[in-house]
């Protein structure tokens, strides 16, 4: 694997698109009300010969002439009602316009804050914003060459390294949990980088509150076994203990188990997939590229839309650099390529 890039953002907080769409809908409704009110005026105020109101059945009622000196504008009754509706529509349109302008100002403030964060974390460019997530999710099929043998293999959780999408996005996944530097969470939060964490209990080693904070900031916490063992060498019962035991651990700390599972080292056999399915796992995401401080290693060649990217909760004790260095490498590579970082769970 060779070289990579990164970008970030949550589409729910990136710009005025959704709010503008809502505002346009409301504005259209307001204008429709105003149009309907205006359309009523001729039928309710135009007089037929002799003073009769047109468009009525039976004998035509007579319009009374206003008393001398009595103003007619805004008078109650049929003539005044449409004008009131039009005024309300105009006021509603002005309120909507004000809300849109306020949200535009907020979006601009978020852009300024993101730019400041990029400079603070040593990035030459601001990470790109991910597009809105797709309306429908698609679980990728098992990658060719990653299948297991035996009957009904298609019923097992799919193993994939890329999500089928034409969006210019990649997905950041972070494994293990050894390094629990607050700087890492601060960097990911300030740069608004979505990611999926695959946790191993022995790596977390009591640091569950650290990852509770990560979860509160938007991270998705998934299963990477209890003790990070090489699963294909283990009997079925031990594999079950590793995978289902981690499900129980996640439920105990966070109230729910995982739906995604990454086997340690990316190694598995048929029993691994069967056990994972029985423990509530629906998919096995692996990776197309791996990030280290200063370099990216690719499984094939370069990055493609939908690629999963791996790094680890590690630091100077394991690397020649910090985790912030690895994230900088990732973000620079992705942004230079013109890609954004999206949330994996929004696509599958």
């Amino acid at each position: 694997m060779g070289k990579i890039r990164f970008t970030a953002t949550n589409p729910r907080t990136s710009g005025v698109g959704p709010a503008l769409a809502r505002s346009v809908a409301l504005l259209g409704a307001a204008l429709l009300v105003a149009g309907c009110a205006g359309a009523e005026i001729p039928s309710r105020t135009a007089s037929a010969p002799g003073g009769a109101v047109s468009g009525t059945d039976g004998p035509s009622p007579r319009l009374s002439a206003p008393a001398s000196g009595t103003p007619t504008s805004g008078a109650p009754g049929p003539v005044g009602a449409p004008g009131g509706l039009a005024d309300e529509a105009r006021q509603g349109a002005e309120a909507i316009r004000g809300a849109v302008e306020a949200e535009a100002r907020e979006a601009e403030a978020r852009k300024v804050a993101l730019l400041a964060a990029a400079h603070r974390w040593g990035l030459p460019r601001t990470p790109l914003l991910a597009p809105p997530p797709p309306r429908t999710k698609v679980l990728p099929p098992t990658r060719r060459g990653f299948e297991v043998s035996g009957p009904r293999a298609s019923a097992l959780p799919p193993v994939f390294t890329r999500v089928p999408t034409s969006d210019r996005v990649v997905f950041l996944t972070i494994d293990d949990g050894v390094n629990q530097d607050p700087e890492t969470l601060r960097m990911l939060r300030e740069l608004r980088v979505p990611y999926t964490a695959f946790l191993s209990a022995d790596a977390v080693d009591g640091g569950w509150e650290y990852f509770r904070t990560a979860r509160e900031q938007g991270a998705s916490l998934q299963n990477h076994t209890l003790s990070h063992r090489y699963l294909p060498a283990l009997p079925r019962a031990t594999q079950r203990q590793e995978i289902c035991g981690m499900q129980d651990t996640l439920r105990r700390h966070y109230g729910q188990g995982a739906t995604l599972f990454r086997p340690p080292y990316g190694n598995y056999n048929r029993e691994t997939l069967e056990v994972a399915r029985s423990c509530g796992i629906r998919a096995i995401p692996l990776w197309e590229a791996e990030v280290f401080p200063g370099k990216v290693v690719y499984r094939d060649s370069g990055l493609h839309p939908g690629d999963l990217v791996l790094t680890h909760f590690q630091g100077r004790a394991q690397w020649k650099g910090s985790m912030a260095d690895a994230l900088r490498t990732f973000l620079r590579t992705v942004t230079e390529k013109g890609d954004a970082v999206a949330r994996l769970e929004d696509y599958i």
Side-chain angles (χ1 to χ4, degrees), residues 34-177:
C36 290
E40 279 189 298
I41 294 174
S43 64
R44 299 175 70 177
T45 61
S47 297
V53 177
S54 62
T56 59
D57 296 328
S60 299
R62 308 287 294 180
L63 290 176
S64 301
S68 177
T70 302
T72 58
S73 60
V79 175
L85 289 174
D87 288 343
E88 289 181 11
R90 280 192 295 273
Q91 292 169 5
E94 290 172 1
I96 291 168
R97 189 180 303 111
V100 171
E101 291 173 353
E103 187 161 354
R105 289 191 296 271
E106 292 174 5
E108 184 62 25
R110 288 194 294 267
K111 287 173 61 178
V112 170
L114 185 58
L115 178 61
H119 290 164
R120 188 161 53 250
W121 292 105
L123 296 174
R125 296 176 57 192
T126 302
L128 301 175
L129 301 181
R135 292 179 179 272
T136 57
K137 300 180 181 182
V138 177
L139 197 61
T142 291
R143 174 173 170 155
R144 179 173 295 183
F146 287 56
E147 305 93 340
V148 294
S149 60
R152 303 191 65 220
S154 61
L156 297 175
V159 182
F160 57 92
T161 62
R162 178 180 298 151
V163 174
T165 180
S166 59
D167 291 347
R168 292 293 302 273
V169 298
V170 297
F171 305 99
L172 176 63
T173 64
I174 312 178
D175 282 8
D176 299 342

Side-chain angles (χ1 to χ4, degrees), residues 139 155-158 222-223 240 243-248 250-251 256-261 272-284:
L139 197 61
L156 297 175
Q222 303 290 349
N223 189 325
R240 177 175 294 280
I243 301 171
C244 296
M246 187 61 187
Q247 291 287 75
D248 293 340
L250 290 171
R251 291 189 190 98
Q256 63 183 53
T259 58
L260 306 179
F261 169 64
T272 307
L273 302 187
E274 290 175 344
V275 168
R277 180 182 61 182
S278 72
C279 297
I281 298 299
R282 66 185 187 89
I284 314 292

